[in-house]
């Protein structure tokens, strides 16, 4: 999403479960308690509002660069999810007392957290940055990590780059294009380059599906193996057939030579046994015109 700030730090917002609007609590979260992840300050799928530390932000529809990157990101990450994990796009999360917002893509454990009876908090999140301010992106990352999200990534569309939030450094640290994102949520590492390049993303999706033992890919591989075996078998039959014909031609040639010239010397016999089918055919044509064995073999 490409949020747009709209002004005041404290303002009225819809209640979590409907009813009258209420004034927001202080922007600073209470260290003693986090709200439930789905206890919202805004009304999801009713408004396009978000709240970042009590500051209302409108999550505006995306422009082409953001929207196209969103498709590539979702396409790439979904097949990489390890069993037991689930991905979600634009999932709104109550991060603290004053923040209730969504990231472009998040990964969490499937099912309900037995400690809360609610969905699990996301473990990884990805934010696509095109129009939104760096203040919004930075504060989102800080609040997510403070809530317990393990890793936060940002894809900067205009820079054509990817970065990961570092709590220690208080900033997004750029990732090299040839770097890999490895995580227990993923069946295999995701190349950073694939986050930015559609062709690379397609290759990585196929590899991820193969790693997961996708039935359709396994069926394709099985058909290819069977085709290779069939081709080898046909080639073997053809070779055997040719070998049998050559062997018959050698036997006929030796009988003709004995009938025409008498006993065939061992050296000539070995020469016949080692000859190709083409050479045997040539000797067979000259046997009626040659007057000696030497003339036959040297002609």
């Amino acid at each position: 999403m490409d949020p747009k700030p709209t002004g005041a730090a404290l303002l009225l917002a819809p209640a979590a479960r409907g009813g009258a609007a209420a004034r927001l609590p202080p922007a600073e979260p209470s260290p003693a308690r986090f709200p439930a992840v789905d206890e919202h300050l805004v009304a999801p799928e009713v408004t396009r509002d978000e709240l970042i530390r009590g500051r209302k932000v409108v999550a505006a529809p995306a422009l082409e660069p953001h929207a196209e990157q969103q498709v590539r990101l979702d396409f790439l990450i979904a097949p990489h999810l390890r069993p037991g994990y689930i991905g979600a796009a634009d999932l709104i999360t109550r991060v603290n007392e004053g923040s209730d917002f969504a990231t472009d893509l998040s990964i969490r454990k499937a099912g309900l957290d037995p400690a809360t009876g609610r969905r699990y908090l996301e473990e990884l999140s990805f934010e696509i940055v095109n129009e939104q301010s760096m203040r919004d992106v930075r504060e989102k990352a800080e609040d997510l990590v403070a809530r317990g999200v393990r890793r936060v990534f940002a894809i900067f569309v205009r820079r054509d780059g990817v970065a990961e939030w570092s709590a220690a450094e208080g900033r997004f640290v750029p990732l090299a294009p040839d770097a890999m994102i490895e995580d227990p949520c993923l069946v295999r590492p995701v190349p950073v380059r694939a986050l930015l390049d559609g062709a690379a993303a397609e290759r990585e999706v196929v590899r991820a599906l193969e790693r997961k033992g996708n039935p359709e890919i396994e069926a394709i591989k099985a058909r290819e193996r069977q085709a290779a075996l069939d081709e080898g078998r046909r080639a073997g039959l053809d070779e055997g057939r040719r070998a049998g014909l050559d062997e018959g031609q050698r036997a006929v040639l030796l009988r003709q030579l004995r009938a025409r010239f008498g006993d065939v010397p061992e050296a000539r016999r070995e020469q016949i046994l080692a000859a190709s089918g083409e050479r045997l055919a040539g000797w067979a044509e000259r046997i009626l015109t040659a007057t000696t064995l030497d003339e036959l073999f040297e002609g």
Side-chain angles (χ1 to χ4, degrees), residues 110-221:
L112 298 178
D113 185 346
T116 64
R118 300 172 184 262
R119 70 167 174 84
Y120 284 96
L121 176 70
E122 46 264 56
E123 297 189 26
L124 273 65
S125 75
F126 294 81
E127 186 75 5
I128 299 171
V129 184
N130 183 42
E131 292 291 318
Q132 65 180 304
S133 72
M134 275 306 302
R135 176 188 177 185
D136 289 350
V137 179
R138 183 184 68 254
E139 290 182 352
K140 280 185 174 184
E142 290 173 343
D143 287 357
L144 287 166
V145 171
R147 179 69 203 252
V149 177
R150 289 193 293 104
R151 304 178 75 178
V152 178
F153 298 90
I155 301 173
F156 295 97
V157 176
R158 295 182 181 183
R159 302 181 204 169
D160 198 30
V162 180
E164 181 172 2
W165 177 257
S166 169
E169 298 184 31
R171 68 185 182 96
F172 279 100
V173 177
L175 301 177
D178 58 351
M180 307 290 283
I181 297 174
E182 299 185 54
D183 195 88
C185 296
L186 308 172
V187 295
R188 64 187 301 275
V190 175
V192 169
R193 182 175 286 105
L195 291 167
L196 304 168
D197 180 80
E202 289 182 355
R203 291 193 297 271
E204 297 307 318
V205 165
V206 173
R207 291 167 181 163
L209 292 174
E210 182 180 25
R211 175 69 60 87
K212 293 170 80 170
N214 179 270
E216 186 58 31
I217 289 183
E218 292 302 311
I220 292 171
K221 290 163 64 177

